[in-house]
Amino acid sequence: MGIQENGNGGVLKYKRMDSDAVEEDGVLCEEKGNDSSRKYVLVCAIFASLNSVLLGYDVGVMSGAIIFIQQDLKITEVQEEVLVGILSIISLFGSLAGGKTSDAIGRKWTMAFAAIVFQSGALIMALAPNFKVLMIGRFLAGIGIGFGVMIAPVYIAEISPTVARGSFTSFPEIFINLGILLGYVSNYAFSGLSPHINWRVMLGVGTLPSVFIGIALFVIPESPRWLVMKNRIDEARVVLLKTNENANEVEERLAEIQQAAGHVNAEKYEEKAVWRELLNPSPGVRRMLITGCGIQCFQQVTGIDATVYYSPTIFKDAGIKGNTQLLAATVAVGFTKTIFILIAIFLIDKVGRKPLLYVSTIGMTTCLFGLGLTLSLLGNGSVGIKLAILCVCGNVAFFSVGIGPICWVLTSEIFPLRLRAQASALGAVGSRVSSGVVAMSFLSVSRMITVGGTFFVFAAISALSVAFVHKCVPETKGKSLEEIEMMFQNNRPQQGGELELEDVKHLMQTQ
């Protein structure tokens, strides 16, 4: 449901968001926004998303680098698990600190800070003489990634025009997958060097996106919302005019931002009340938390990070011999993951969230179970190798087309504005902790119950995610945020497309 204004800016009319109708009273249609403004925002979104490449690259490159780190530094299996999995835990602290930092120094310079911290960590890891120094670099890299992943979507959302915000804010997810692919390619490209050098080059190459981020600081502007918060109104107006050349709309948007900025202190005052509501939720909010936090945890406990981090281990168990062949197989995984995330971006608003989640979770369950069977019964043969590669590629494809990107979409849609930031943070905590636990326990669990047995466990968890989607996740396609909130408050799906004024009044009263 959208809000339409008449030519005088007075009368408000309610209209569905999925309606094809457009303004006919002289108001500029946003869908026909200026091409140069759109290109400018596109460039800003791409540069801001470069920080997400750092996370993806680290995930991808570590899957291969860890083979040679183990050979060179003679680390134990437990140290290997900690080195791989600790990044998710550490990045959480960077993300939690990112909000206050970005309010203090600005979105743009927070991105710069993230790049500098990550670059320092990557260089320390590349030059590390032992495991302790390697972990110091890993700690810094995790902090930098946490800042970068947090600030990128915030900056893009604040710089983008309303009509294009959804597509532009999907860029970080795309760039994470691009980073994973680049990490896999880097593994393959440098695997031929000596074990003392190759993993250092692999990790050192991760500093290159940071260089491009430094260049981007001379291209992209500061967020207009942050400029207004700092009472730099004229600068904010200049930025808004670059993203939308309609002067009237710019002034309206500027007025909205000024009004929102005026409530910052009140929002901070109410923050404790928000946390009280989350810790002692009403039935409607409880259903929102179950859906939002549940989908975030299921995204990780089905083993996607273990599959990506330890794909060489999986393929080695399937029978592939030689490090170069192992890393070549992982490149296919990276290509598959990147292609299907692009497909998801095109389908999510056409097919809907829930159908894609069904396809994703059922497909992942099938592939994980098939991988468990393959590794348990058909290992060390050509058929087993082909089936293992097919199952791993299928798993990441189904993940990328559904639960991977959609969990972030859902958590941004289902919570009311007053709870959205804190509730989304809770979901992110669940996601990062789940990722870290899975990554840090995969090798130990595989040692106890075999790699194939571990994937049977992931398949069982994935089967539970199908039931969770059926029971707890509503369809939110084409529904306004108000309609979505009413669905959870009433504990029933909305059948009609329109949100009646009485529903809106009831909703406002409950808030």
Side-chain angles (χ1 to χ4, degrees):
M1 182 188 71
I3 299 178
Q4 237 183 350
E5 293 188 3
N6 65 6
N8 298 320
V11 180
L12 293 177
K13 295 184 290 184
Y14 290 88
K15 185 181 72 170
R16 288 184 58 181
M17 289 297 289
D18 56 349
S19 173
D20 291 328
V22 296
E23 298 282 357
E24 297 178 354
D25 53 0
V27 178
L28 181 66
C29 181
E30 286 186 327
E31 285 82 350
K32 298 179 181 178
N34 184 273
D35 287 341
S36 62
S37 298
R38 191 71 61 88
K39 290 178 181 177
Y40 180 76
V41 178
L42 174 64
V43 171
C44 292
I46 290 174
F47 277 129
S49 299
L50 288 175
N51 268 311
S52 298
V53 174
L54 301 178
L55 172 59
Y57 183 84
D58 186 275
V59 171
V61 79
M62 189 56 72
S63 67
I66 193 67
I67 298 173
F68 305 105
I69 292 172
Q70 192 175 35
Q71 293 176 7
D72 186 30
L73 300 184
K74 303 296 188 290
I75 63 175
T76 66
E77 192 173 84
V78 173
Q79 288 175 322
E80 181 181 348
E81 287 181 316
V82 172
L83 180 65
V84 169
I86 199 66
L87 187 85
S88 294
I89 306 296
I90 296 300
S91 66
L92 174 64
F93 296 103
S95 294
L96 291 175
K100 290 186 180 298
T101 303
S102 65
D103 283 345
I105 66 175
R107 293 14 174 176
K108 177 177 174 178
W109 294 108
T110 300
M111 286 189 281
F113 177 73
I116 292 170
V117 174
F118 176 85
Q119 192 170 35
S120 301
L123 286 173
I124 290 173
M125 286 193 292
L127 300 173
N130 54 52
F131 179 74
K132 290 182 179 179
V133 177
L134 193 64
M135 285 299 296
I136 293 173
R138 193 73 169 156
F139 179 87
L140 289 173
I143 294 293
I145 285 174
F147 273 97
V149 171
M150 172 268 163
I151 196 58
V154 171
Y155 174 83
I156 295 171
E158 293 182 349
I159 201 74
S160 302
T162 302
V163 70
R165 187 173 297 147
S167 59
F168 284 134
T169 50
S170 66
F171 276 33
E173 183 69 21
I174 295 173
F175 275 67
I176 287 175
N177 285 273
L178 177 61
I180 291 173
L181 175 58
L182 292 175
Y184 283 153
V185 172
S186 177
N187 287 337
Y188 180 72
F190 300 115
S191 61
L193 301 175
S194 70
H196 181 67
I197 298 296
N198 54 13
W199 65 270
R200 300 178 187 276
V201 176
M202 293 172 188
L203 297 179
V205 169
T207 62
L208 293 180
S210 299
V211 175
F212 289 107
I213 293 171
I215 297 172
L217 296 176
F218 297 97
V219 178
I220 64 175
E222 182 53 84
S223 159
R225 188 180 189 279
W226 184 82
L227 291 171
V228 170
M229 288 171 59
K230 299 301 179 181
N231 203 30
R232 293 157 62 175
I233 307 301
D234 291 337
E235 293 177 59
R237 183 181 289 107
V238 171
V239 175
L240 290 171
L241 283 170
K242 291 180 179 179
T243 62
N244 187 342
E245 294 188 357
N246 183 281
N248 291 332
E249 290 184 4
V250 166
E251 291 303 323
E252 290 176 5
R253 175 65 178 149
L254 188 60
E256 291 173 0
I257 295 173
Q258 285 179 281
Q259 183 178 6
H263 293 304
V264 167
N265 291 332
E267 289 172 358
K268 289 180 179 178
Y269 177 78
E270 294 172 358
E271 187 172 351
K272 291 183 179 179
V274 169
W275 280 110
R276 281 198 298 269
E277 184 175 357
L278 289 174
L279 295 175
N280 187 26
S282 65
V285 172
R286 184 179 299 112
R287 285 188 284 271
M288 294 174 190
L289 288 170
I290 291 172
T291 299
C293 296
I295 199 70
Q296 289 273 16
C297 290
F298 271 116
Q299 185 204 45
Q300 293 299 328
V301 295
T302 48
I304 187 62
D305 276 4
T307 304
V308 173
Y309 273 126
Y310 296 109
S311 51
T313 302
I314 297 167
F315 293 140
K316 185 176 181 180
D317 197 68
I320 297 179
K321 307 297 182 183
N323 291 332
T324 302
Q325 289 79 8
L326 287 172
L327 299 179
T330 64
V331 174
V333 177
F335 271 112
T336 303
K337 202 170 189 302
T338 303
I339 290 170
F340 277 85
I341 191 66
L342 295 174
I343 293 174
I345 299 304
F346 288 107
L347 292 180
I348 190 169
D349 285 322
K350 295 181 179 180
V351 176
R353 283 62 158 153
K354 196 158 185 171
L356 284 179
L357 282 174
Y358 276 132
V359 170
S360 177
T361 51
I362 293 172
M364 288 171 61
T365 302
T366 303
C367 291
L368 290 168
F369 185 78
L371 183 58
L373 282 177
T374 299
L375 297 176
S376 299
L377 304 177
L378 301 173
N380 298 314
S382 60
V383 175
I385 291 173
K386 292 176 182 177
L387 285 176
I389 294 174
L390 179 63
C391 288
V392 171
C393 288
N395 183 48
V396 299
F398 282 116
F399 175 87
S400 293
V401 84
I403 196 170
I406 289 175
C407 84
W408 300 106
V409 175
L410 280 173
T411 52
S412 68
E413 290 178 330
I414 63 175
F415 296 108
L417 181 60
R418 69 186 186 280
L419 304 176
R420 191 167 298 145
Q422 289 86 348
S424 296
L426 282 178
V429 169
S431 174
R432 291 296 86 202
V433 171
S434 299
S435 171
V437 169
V438 169
M440 286 193 287
S441 62
F442 178 80
L443 292 178
S444 297
V445 174
S446 297
R447 183 76 66 187
M448 290 187 291
I449 63 174
T450 75
V451 178
T454 304
F455 280 97
F456 282 132
V457 174
F458 287 145
I461 297 172
S462 185
L464 291 176
S465 73
V466 180
F468 177 83
V469 169
H470 176 72
K471 180 69 175 177
C472 301
V473 179
E475 178 55 73
T476 58
K477 173 197 169 188
K479 292 181 172 63
S480 71
L481 299 179
E482 292 86 357
E483 285 180 296
I484 294 170
E485 185 174 352
M486 288 298 295
M487 289 165 56
F488 283 96
Q489 296 291 357
N490 297 334
N491 195 24
R492 60 177 175 84
Q494 290 281 336
Q495 301 298 328
E498 303 291 339
L499 181 66
E500 301 296 335
L501 286 175
E502 290 301 320
D503 287 337
V504 177
K505 292 178 181 177
H506 172 71
L507 183 62
M508 293 174 67
Q509 289 171 358
T510 61
Q511 294 180 355

